[in-house]
């Protein structure tokens, strides 16, 4: 993403319509991958937290 940002800011390099379209497709694909990876991390952390809390003895239950 940073490389794409620097390339876009560089006015000495002309970009064709095909270059811009290819870059946009790449960004869309990287966004899908990043969302999938972040989701996997969040789910893993939630699972680890549930497991950790299940093992700890509750001396004083939380009142809601």
């Amino acid at each position: 993403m940073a490389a794409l940002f620097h390339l876009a800011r560089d006015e000495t390099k002309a970009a064709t319509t095909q270059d811009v379209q290819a870059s946009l497709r790449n960004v869309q694909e990287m966004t899908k991958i990043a969302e999938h990876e972040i989701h996997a991390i969040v789910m893993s952390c939630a699972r680890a937290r549930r497991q950790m809390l299940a093992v700890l003895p509750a001396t004083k239950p939380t009142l809601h």
Side-chain angles (χ1 to χ4, degrees):
M1 295 282 189
L4 182 62
F5 173 76
H6 290 295
L7 182 63
R9 292 198 48 156
D10 189 356
E11 295 180 8
T12 63
K13 298 179 183 175
T16 64
T17 303
Q18 289 91 2
D19 292 338
V20 173
Q21 288 174 345
S23 294
L24 288 175
R25 280 192 303 273
N26 290 339
V27 168
Q28 288 173 339
E29 186 62 29
M30 289 188 320
T31 301
K32 289 178 189 176
I33 293 168
E35 287 176 354
H36 180 267
E37 294 297 321
I38 290 170
H39 177 73
I41 291 167
V42 169
M43 296 306 293
S44 176
C45 289
R47 186 172 31 258
R49 181 172 169 79
R50 273 194 311 271
Q51 290 173 352
M52 182 186 68
L53 291 176
V55 190
L56 294 175
T59 58
K60 206 173 185 184
T62 305
L63 301 175
H64 291 276

